[in-house]
Amino acid sequence: MFKKTEKTERDIDQDVTLLADTLDEVLRDSSSKTQEELGELHRKAKSVLRHARARFNDSSNLTQHAQDVAAHANSYVRSNPWQGVGIGAAVGIVIGVLLARR
């Protein structure tokens, strides 16, 4: 159920990292480049930015998916309250054990 969301999140993280790296390269190297190299760097930055914007515009699908999952979880807990309590307790125990190991 969450695999699509996790993949989209990883893709967005990669896009942001690539965008930041490209911007860093532009800022770092802009004073030592020739006009032709600056033009190429400018085209690369525009391409990365255009791609990242397209991906971020698709993130509305990610928001809708998260809302659908939350609504499904809410209806499940309302129809099975004791199972919801049991799942919550199990998650709490696991988190407690993990925090205690630190």
Side-chain angles (χ1 to χ4, degrees):
M1 180 187 306
F2 294 107
K3 292 196 186 301
K4 181 179 178 184
T5 305
E6 291 169 358
K7 182 185 180 317
T8 303
E9 185 177 317
R10 277 195 310 269
D11 291 345
I12 290 173
D13 286 345
Q14 290 171 349
D15 287 344
V16 169
T17 301
L18 181 60
L19 185 59
D21 291 345
T22 303
L23 181 58
D24 185 42
E25 182 181 353
V26 168
L27 294 174
R28 183 184 63 240
D29 296 339
S30 63
S31 62
S32 64
K33 297 283 186 181
T34 65
Q35 193 66 23
E36 183 179 306
E37 291 172 326
L38 283 175
E40 179 60 33
L41 204 52
H42 179 66
R43 282 188 293 280
K44 178 182 174 185
K46 281 179 78 171
S47 172
V48 170
L49 181 60
R50 190 178 313 114
H51 180 70
R53 279 187 178 156
R55 300 284 290 199
F56 289 138
N57 288 337
D58 288 340
S59 70
S60 63
N61 294 336
L62 179 63
T63 303
Q64 182 61 44
H65 181 67
Q67 289 172 346
D68 292 344
V69 169
H72 180 70
N74 186 30
S75 67
Y76 178 81
V77 169
R78 287 182 185 272
S79 64
N80 303 304
W82 287 110
Q83 288 178 349
V85 169
I87 292 170
V91 169
I93 289 170
V94 168
I95 290 173
V97 167
L98 291 175
L99 289 175
R101 294 175 113 187
R102 290 183 116 197

